[in-house]
Amino acid sequence: MNNAIRAMAGGLAGACVLTLVHETVRRLVPDAPRMDVLGMRAISKLMKMSGEEPPQDKEELHNWSLAGDIFSNSVYYSLAGTGRDAWWRGAILGAAAGAGAVLLPGPLGLGEEPSNRTPKTQAMTIGYYLLGGMVAAAVGYALSGDEEAEEV
């Protein structure tokens, strides 16, 4: 298996863990981030801008949002790569994604409440994305086979 495939496997693992944590915690914790809501808003906004009608069924739109999140986060987290330096890259990518998820939705017209409602919501948002980056790094590192593996 080449390093690009290993990095993509790490990215997919990080994205799946991120989505699993979001979907689980949002059902249990009132102040949990609602990145699914941001995803649904983004899909609806982009579809309307392109002259298309977004799905009217909330469950279908939610499923589109989750699929889009897993795809885009997989690609993003795959940048952590493989080898020893994947740890640093995963941490930086995760922290940057978390900060972006807190700071960007408002200016992008998606609303601030889903990721920025309380300090607890903000901390959880950053923590989730950091976790995703670290999972991607762990998988990329583990699949590299040894500490001196060539990096993507």
Side-chain angles (χ1 to χ4, degrees), residues 3 17 19-20 24 26 29 35 38 45 49 56 77 88 93 102 107 119 121 123 126 130 134 143:
N3 281 341
V17 166
T19 301
L20 180 65
T24 301
R26 77 173 178 85
V29 178
M35 304 316 286
L38 288 176
K45 187 174 185 174
M49 286 173 56
Q56 297 303 307
Y77 284 137
W88 288 106
L93 289 166
V102 170
T121 308
I126 294 168
L130 181 58
M134 297 313 294
L143 291 177

Side-chain angles (χ1 to χ4, degrees), residues 14-130:
C16 287
V17 166
L18 170 65
T19 301
L20 180 65
V21 169
H22 272 134
E23 285 298 299
T24 301
V25 177
R26 77 173 178 85
R27 290 173 166 84
L28 304 172
V29 178
D31 285 340
R34 293 299 308 270
M35 304 316 286
D36 57 316
V37 171
L38 288 176
M40 291 187 295
R41 289 177 182 172
I43 290 169
S44 293
K45 187 174 185 174
L46 288 171
M47 288 185 77
K48 287 176 182 174
M49 286 173 56
S50 68
E52 298 295 323
E53 190 63 33
Q56 297 303 307
D57 179 42
K58 294 256 190 221
E59 188 173 329
E60 182 181 1
L61 188 56
H62 185 259
N63 290 339
W64 283 28
S65 172
L66 294 181
D69 284 347
I70 290 172
F71 175 76
S72 60
N73 287 323
S74 292
V75 172
Y76 178 76
Y77 284 137
S78 72
L79 297 173
T82 62
R84 201 176 354 197
D85 288 341
W87 292 105
W88 288 106
R89 288 189 298 267
I92 291 167
L93 289 166
V102 170
L103 299 172
L104 294 177
L108 292 174
L110 301 174
E112 294 182 5
E113 188 171 305
S115 63
N116 210 6
R117 183 171 43 256
T118 66
K120 180 179 176 181
T121 308
Q122 295 168 347
M124 291 170 72
T125 300
I126 294 168
Y128 293 174
Y129 282 95
L130 181 58

